[in-house]
Amino acid sequence: MKFSFGRSLVKAFRVQKKIGKLIGKAVEATRTKPKRTTSTSRPAKPILVETTAFGSNPGRLVMKSFVPTTRLPKNPALVVLLHGCGQTPESLDVATGFSKLAKERGFVLLYAQQKRANNSQNCFNWFRPSAVARDRGEVRSIKQMVEHICERHRIDRSRIFVAGLSAGGAMAGALVANYPALFAGAAIIAGMPFGSARDTMSALRAMKSGATPPPGGWGRPIAEISPEAKAWPAITIWHGMEDRVVKPVNALACVAQWLEVQGIAENSGRLEEKPWGRLQSWKITSELKVALYSVSNMGHGLPIKKRKSVTALRSGDPYVIPAEISAPAEMMRLWGLSRLRT
């Protein structure tokens, strides 16, 4: 009898618990009863669309893109963006507003994304020779993404631009070093010179203390990998003067690298003091070849123009920093990506 009573009691408790769950669900349903779906209340579709089949993808990266659905020119320009460590294409896009710029100015946007399986910090492996050698690893994957989107959307191949932040900035430099004819312009933001490291430890040392020039000078690693190159895209280098993650001396090494490979004398540049910092530029027959944007009072990140509502910006990506100059806006100007006429 005791055994039967105990079993019945357990059964009763289970039934009571089940009934309680059903009642709880019913109450919750009445509290969050969905409204009738309208055109304005439907969940927004993801802005960035992932493409899974774009080539052999030896670097095992993820391809994401944004293609404006209205007012896209017949042969649009392409902007390739590479995120920094700990970032995602989505976090970078929300903070910088590049997808909004793509809508306003009629260009296609391509994001390459790193996987944590490749790098635990979600960094592009700019310091691994196998990842940045021509037609191998991560640079090959990104080139395949570019080729895929060019064919699919009839991209104007004379207007392909690349920009990257931190590890993405170093990878942007590696892409131009390998495929100079592919790009019309590039921006290296808080990045590192190509060939400045061979593994994780040497990368960390270079970031903290400054990279040591290789034998033959900074231009040699690029000249060796692209000896046939006759022309190079305009390179802009951006760095915060207070950057403690990647020491600003690395920006000077980047400048030296791209000046050397193009045979431009360092003393031929022009220095200008700006409200936001210093601008050094080097031109050949009035055409910009290399520029260094040294942003005062800024740490490690990408500068974006201060807004009236700074709190909205602070809630976004920590490596997109309010400043007196906007890197995205300046890129649009330099690359000739103007607003579409209404």
Side-chain angles (χ1 to χ4, degrees), residues 115-308:
K115 292 180 180 177
R116 291 201 181 275
N118 299 335
N119 185 293
S120 61
Q121 302 301 313
N122 218 34
C123 310
F124 288 105
N125 291 303
W126 59 272
F127 48 84
R128 291 182 183 171
S130 61
V132 297
R134 179 177 290 187
D135 293 335
R136 292 180 62 192
E138 293 177 13
V139 293
R140 176 62 175 166
S141 290
I142 298 170
K143 185 173 186 288
Q144 288 178 345
M145 295 179 195
V146 171
E147 293 294 341
H148 178 85
I149 208 162
C150 280
E151 292 175 8
R152 188 170 182 180
H153 298 288
R154 297 182 296 181
I155 297 297
D156 180 351
R157 289 179 175 268
S158 68
R159 294 195 300 153
I160 301 176
F161 309 95
V162 61
L165 170 59
S166 192
M171 186 57 73
L175 281 167
V176 177
N178 279 281
Y179 310 112
L182 187 61
F183 301 101
I188 300 170
I189 306 163
M192 297 289 295
F194 179 71
S196 56
R198 297 191 61 83
D199 51 36
T200 305
M201 292 306 296
S202 60
L204 290 173
R205 284 196 299 268
M207 289 163 60
K208 295 291 184 183
S209 304
T212 303
W218 277 117
R220 186 173 178 180
I222 298 178
E224 287 179 346
I225 203 167
S226 294
E228 76 291 349
K230 297 285 191 294
W232 301 89
I235 308 288
T236 60
I237 296 153
W238 298 73
H239 222 99
M241 293 184 184
E242 306 302 322
D243 193 336
R244 290 180 173 80
V245 177
V246 176
K247 196 171 182 179
V249 69
N250 289 299
L252 300 178
C254 283
V255 169
Q257 181 164 70
W258 291 105
L259 289 177
E260 283 181 27
V261 80
Q262 297 184 72
I264 301 172
E266 187 175 348
N267 61 7
S268 66
R270 179 186 179 188
L271 174 62
E272 300 174 75
E273 296 294 334
K274 299 287 187 178
W276 46 263
R278 289 196 305 268
L279 172 61
Q280 293 173 271
S281 56
W282 290 262
K283 296 180 180 180
I284 296 180
T285 60
S286 74
E287 183 180 352
L288 181 68
K289 292 298 181 181
V290 180
L292 172 60
Y293 292 75
S294 300
V295 185
S296 59
N297 303 315
M298 193 184 84
H300 187 68
L302 179 152
I304 196 164
K305 191 73 173 179
K306 290 179 180 178
R307 303 173 188 170
K308 292 180 180 179

